[in-house]
């Protein structure tokens, strides 16, 4: 089965600090995504990528950067973390050839910004 | 404006009963619909997709799509306690830059009680 691994699974950061969330997939999928999940908001797309070296802005990109150094790895970077970024973050991969939207999600990274 | 709206927010059904979840989109670019299920502490997992008008049945799960009204539903017959989870409706436009990009609703919490 498709495998998407996120690290860290839990992170406590201070306001103004830098946070990097990492994601690795072994599915050989071209597309990767970062979503955040908040009660009352469902899943919202932050950044996504169509392949190594590419990053695109999603629906809520402000305050976040992304990096896709290789097919397997996709990172989400919070340069100056704020308490409003406290959330659960999910990474996902998808096969671009399918083009119909099935995503494979990781187990999530819970971030608390104090 | 939320482009994918789900109802009800929560639902409780008896074991063995029928659960019905609804989803409506306000964006006519959305042509592909998915149902995802998320158990507590896990990432969402794709449950089933529906791309054509009418019904699609997979085991105890039946999805229905009406493209004219952009309404999607999911019906779970013979509900089991293991079906208790958060259910997301998701939609994709699948054109050009939107390839594989999913927009999620807020979710419906399903509880199946003994």
């Amino acid at each position: 089965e498709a495998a998407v691994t996120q690290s860290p699974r839990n992170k406590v950061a201070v306001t103004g600090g830098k946070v990097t969330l990492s994601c690795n997939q072994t599915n050989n999928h071209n597309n990767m995504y970062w979503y955040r999940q908040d009660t009352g908001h469902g899943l919202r797309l932050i950044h996504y990528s169509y392949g190594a070296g590419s990053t695109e802005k999603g629906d809520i990109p402000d305050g976040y950067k992304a990096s896709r150094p290789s097919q397997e790895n996709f990172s989400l970077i919070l340069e100056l973390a704020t308490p409003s970024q406290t959330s659960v973050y999910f990474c996902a991969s998808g096969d671009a050839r399918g083009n119909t939207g099935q995503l494979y999600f990781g187990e999530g990274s819970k971030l608390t910004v104090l | 404006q939320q482009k994918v709206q789900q109802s009800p927010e929560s639902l409780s059904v008896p074991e063995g009963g029928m659960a019905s979840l609804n989803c409506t989109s306000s964006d006519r670019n959305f042509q592909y619909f998915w149902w995802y299920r998320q158990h507590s502490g896990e990432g969402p997992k794709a449950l089933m997709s529906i791309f054509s008008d009418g019904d699609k049945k997979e085991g105890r799960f039946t999805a229905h799509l009406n493209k004219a009204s952009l309404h999607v539903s999911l019906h779970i017959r013979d509900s089991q306690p293991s079906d208790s989870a958060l259910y997301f409706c998701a939609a994709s436009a699948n054109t050009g830059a939107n390839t594989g990009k999913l927009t999620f609703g807020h979710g419906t919490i399903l509880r199946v009680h003994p």
Side-chain angles (χ1 to χ4, degrees), chain A residues 37-43 90, chain B residues 6 8-11 21 35-47 74 76 81-89 104-112:
Chain A
Q37 182 176 19
D38 304 284
T39 302
H41 290 280
L43 290 160
F90 287 96
Chain B
Q6 292 186 241
E9 288 186 9
S10 64
L11 179 63
L21 290 67
W35 286 98
Y36 279 73
R37 181 167 73 177
Q38 182 182 29
H39 286 109
S40 181
E42 300 179 3
K45 290 183 174 63
L47 191 59
L74 178 69
I76 308 172
S82 59
D83 294 326
S84 296
L86 177 60
Y87 288 76
F88 288 109
C89 174
F104 286 80
H106 289 174
T108 293
I109 299 171
L110 173 63
R111 175 176 168 266
V112 180

Side-chain angles (χ1 to χ4, degrees), chain A residues 60-113:
Chain A
I60 54 164
D62 293 346
Y64 302 94
K65 292 183 180 179
S67 174
R68 182 88 181 269
S70 65
Q71 177 85 337
E72 297 79 18
N73 296 295
F74 190 38
S75 296
L76 186 68
I77 303 152
L78 292 67
E79 295 278 4
L80 294 170
T82 67
S84 65
Q85 294 174 314
T86 293
S87 187
V88 180
Y89 292 85
F90 287 96
C91 176
S93 74
D95 189 348
R97 292 169 298 177
N99 285 353
T100 51
Q102 179 163 0
L103 302 184
Y104 297 84
F105 283 86
E107 294 296 293
S109 295
K110 183 176 180 181
L111 173 64
T112 303
V113 182

Side-chain angles (χ1 to χ4, degrees), chain B residues 77-99:
Chain B
R77 66 171 176 83
D78 190 23
S79 296
Q80 301 298 308
S82 59
D83 294 326
S84 296
L86 177 60
Y87 288 76
F88 288 109
C89 174
S92 172
N94 192 42
T95 55
N98 291 323
T99 298

